[in-house]
Amino acid sequence: MKHLSRMLCAVIAGALLLSVPLNASAETVLSKSFSYFKVGGRTAEDLDRELSHHGPMTKSTGARHPGATEIKFGGELTYVEQNGKCGVGTVKVTLNTKILLPRWTNRRRTSAELGLIWDTLSADIKRHEERHAEIARTYARTLEKRLQSLRPQAECEEMQALVTKTTQAVMAAHDKDQFRFDVVESKNFDARMTRLLKYRIQQNTSNR
């Protein structure tokens, strides 16, 4: 369930030194989309095999997963003159997240028990991938604020180096948080699924 990739497009679109002071401004542009891959089968064993064979392959693990989130950061940044120094002018951080989820083609032609298991599993997969996208959104906004708050430097080369260092630090923290989330989720998977199934069974029983 790990994100497919984290590709940082150059945040520095180019150095633009203006002759008049400007106030720093920032903008975060976020987008999210969903796509699906089909899985067949009529038994729990079939589903396990289908997910293993058709789930998205992640570069970080070299293995297939029941869901994935592709994360791409990018953006633009300009520089302005501030009291004889080179400072950050406008900051535009972009984030595109694409969530890939499984869709079972035989969902309506199965037993109630297996249908309940699938519904519980697929909902958990979606929640997991949505959380990956949420973590990325948090870091996109963090990057925007960190870049916007950088102090002006004597030369634009120094300012560019500081922007690059800040961007790399935020992206490294982002990757660590994503990895940490996957580790925790993996360890808690069995207990979480058992708890969710019990809850859904209770709900179905009370609704009868």
Side-chain angles (χ1 to χ4, degrees), residues 175-193:
D175 289 350
K176 288 182 179 179
D177 263 5
Q178 296 283 19
F179 178 76
R180 187 182 302 113
F181 172 65
D182 271 331
V183 170
V184 172
E185 288 275 290
S186 179
K187 289 181 178 179
N188 297 332
F189 177 76
D190 289 340
R192 185 172 67 254
M193 283 299 297

Side-chain angles (χ1 to χ4, degrees), residues 13 57 69 92 110 133 152-153 207:
M57 179 78 73
T69 302
K92 179 181 179 181
T110 186
Q153 302 295 306
N207 291 334

Side-chain angles (χ1 to χ4, degrees), residues 85-129:
K85 294 184 177 182
C86 183
V88 171
T90 59
V91 179
K92 179 181 179 181
V93 176
T94 63
L95 170 66
N96 178 261
T97 54
K98 296 181 180 180
I99 297 177
L100 183 60
L101 300 171
R103 178 170 286 166
W104 187 20
T105 58
N106 292 325
R107 171 61 185 85
R108 296 183 179 181
R109 299 187 295 274
T110 186
S111 66
E113 292 78 9
L114 187 55
L116 179 65
I117 293 173
W118 172 259
D119 291 345
T120 304
L121 175 62
S122 59
D124 191 63
I125 294 171
K126 184 175 185 295
R127 176 203 57 80
H128 178 96
E129 301 306 332

